[in-house]
Amino acid sequence: MLLVTGGAGFIGSHVVEAAVARGERVRVLDALRPEVHGGARPALPDGVELVRGSVTDASEVRAALDGVSAVCHQAAKVGLGVDFADAPDYAETNVTGTAVLLAAMTAAGVDRLVLASSMVVYGEGRYRDGDRIVLPPPRAVGDLERGVFDPLGADGRPLEPVLVGEEETLDPRNVYADTKLAQEHLASSWTRATGGHAAMLRYHNVFGPRMPRDTPYAGVASIFRSALERGEAPRVFEDGGQRRDFVHVRDVARANLAALDGLAALPSGAARAYNVGSGTPRTVLEFATALADAFGGPAPVVTGEYRLGDVRHITASSARIAEELGWRATEPFDDAVREFATAPLRAAAPRD
């Protein structure tokens, strides 16, 4: 049996559907947090057992692991958050929750893990400065205030972003990113200590049906779609030139199954990281424009606003997962955006 933590959530529910479609027996462990689910009971495929519980509760996790042979760990608090006051919740859910899960897996003899990580562990990514590849420091507030959004080279010109491979230095630059890297470190420590096997999937900007709407913790795609649904123009921060890789959630679900299958090929005690992206970088403004056109709503507004902790460009190479696990994104971007423009989103989270 496969346990999917967070399996009632946006990405997790698609992992569950993909696993059931290929004949897996699946159990879901999900806390059903109101800011994610809005109080609605999730609809899961027939035969899927739903256990309402938190990955931070050792007794609930132990019960959910009964009869399980592998875990897809999707449960996490996501997004940049509202402010630093969110830090304890991020650390409790993402870091402590992962530690509790891994300890319970050890006790239960479960030795296969697929971990939902994120491209945010790379921080600002990598850039070309002449004939050198460099890792720029965090962007200065003064530059951002003046509308200078791109990291600059020694000559004062914008650096050229390049694709990042899994072996590059990791450089998280906000609390969420810190916790995702901590999850990876915990998974690696667990494999070394127990001889287990772990695949760590560094998701790019995932979008698709069932994203939560009207919440500051959702991804930018959901924020844009929520604005359009309210009849408002999507608000694009900075100058809209931020480069990202928008990958469809069904492709991400297939990547989880490919990683699950690939665990058997890993040596005992190995943890392997894989970037999971479409392979085609796009700017945030390009995505917002495509979505607004597909929705038939107002064109995006470029605001010049910024958020501390955001990075300018981060796009990574997904060559490793293609070569080692045979996975490639297959959902056509234009079709996926048209689907997303009208697909149901999760119920709005209650507001204070």
Side-chain angles (χ1 to χ4, degrees):
M1 176 180 286
L2 173 67
L3 175 66
V4 182
T5 70
F10 166 46
I11 297 175
S13 65
H14 287 273
V15 173
V16 169
E17 287 184 353
V20 169
R22 74 171 194 176
E24 299 268 3
R25 293 176 56 230
V26 179
R27 178 182 295 144
V28 166
L29 174 67
D30 201 298
L32 302 182
R33 293 177 62 143
E35 70 267 30
V36 177
H37 298 275
R41 184 172 178 82
L44 294 170
D46 290 342
V48 173
E49 179 186 354
L50 173 61
V51 177
R52 182 166 187 171
S54 171
V55 288
T56 63
D57 188 306
S59 62
E60 292 173 345
V61 173
R62 286 194 296 269
L65 284 168
D66 183 42
V68 164
S69 59
V71 175
C72 277
H73 184 30
Q74 308 294 317
K77 186 177 178 71
V78 301
L80 189 57
V82 176
D83 55 37
F84 202 81
D86 282 329
D89 195 14
Y90 276 100
E92 175 71 9
T93 302
N94 298 357
V95 183
T96 300
T98 300
V100 169
L101 173 66
L102 293 171
M105 289 174 63
T106 303
V110 180
D111 66 352
R112 293 191 296 154
L113 172 72
V114 176
L115 170 69
S117 185
S118 170
M119 53 81 183
V120 296
V121 299
Y122 295 117
E124 188 59 65
R126 298 298 176 275
Y127 292 76
R128 188 180 306 281
D129 186 3
D131 59 357
R132 298 183 305 127
I133 300 297
V134 298
L135 171 61
R139 296 180 292 171
V141 173
D143 288 340
L144 296 171
E145 288 286 349
R146 292 185 293 111
V148 178
F149 300 119
D150 284 296
L152 304 177
D155 59 2
R157 297 180 180 178
L159 299 172
E160 176 191 354
V162 298
L163 297 181
V164 181
E166 288 87 350
E167 299 307 320
E168 296 286 353
T169 301
L170 304 181
D171 185 30
R173 296 192 174 182
N174 57 56
V175 169
Y176 170 60
D178 291 334
T179 65
K180 297 311 288 184
L181 182 53
Q183 286 183 307
E184 290 198 16
H185 286 325
L186 286 167
S188 296
S189 296
W190 169 76
T191 60
R192 289 192 297 270
T194 66
H197 308 77
M200 304 175 296
L201 303 184
R202 294 172 180 164
Y203 300 158
H204 283 255
N205 288 71
V206 187
F207 74 100
R210 299 201 292 273
M211 291 189 84
R213 72 171 186 260
D214 297 324
T215 165
Y217 302 98
V220 68
S222 178
I223 292 171
F224 291 160
R225 168 64 198 284
S226 295
L228 289 164
E229 204 158 18
R230 296 191 302 268
E232 301 170 4
R235 293 174 59 82
V236 179
F237 282 12
E238 302 185 15
D239 61 359
Q242 310 93 305
R243 286 162 56 94
R244 298 291 188 268
D245 185 327
F246 293 92
V247 59
H248 195 274
V249 66
R250 285 194 293 269
D251 281 325
V252 172
R254 291 192 304 102
N256 274 267
L257 299 187
L260 189 66
D261 295 341
L263 289 174
L266 291 178
S268 177
R272 188 75 164 154
Y274 296 98
N275 293 327
V276 178
S278 73
T280 305
R282 291 178 170 85
T283 69
V284 173
L285 180 57
E286 286 176 325
F287 182 87
T289 301
L291 183 60
D293 288 347
F295 189 88
V301 174
V302 177
T303 69
E305 298 173 81
Y306 65 88
R307 297 191 303 177
L308 289 176
D310 270 343
V311 297
R312 177 62 173 172
H313 304 298
I314 176 61
T315 55
S317 168
S318 296
R320 174 185 287 181
I321 192 170
E323 293 167 1
E324 296 186 5
L325 303 182
W327 176 91
R328 290 175 176 81
T330 60
E331 297 285 338
F333 177 77
D334 291 341
D335 293 346
V337 170
R338 281 193 293 270
E339 177 199 32
F340 180 56
T342 58
L345 303 183
R346 288 190 182 275
R351 294 183 179 274
D352 294 332

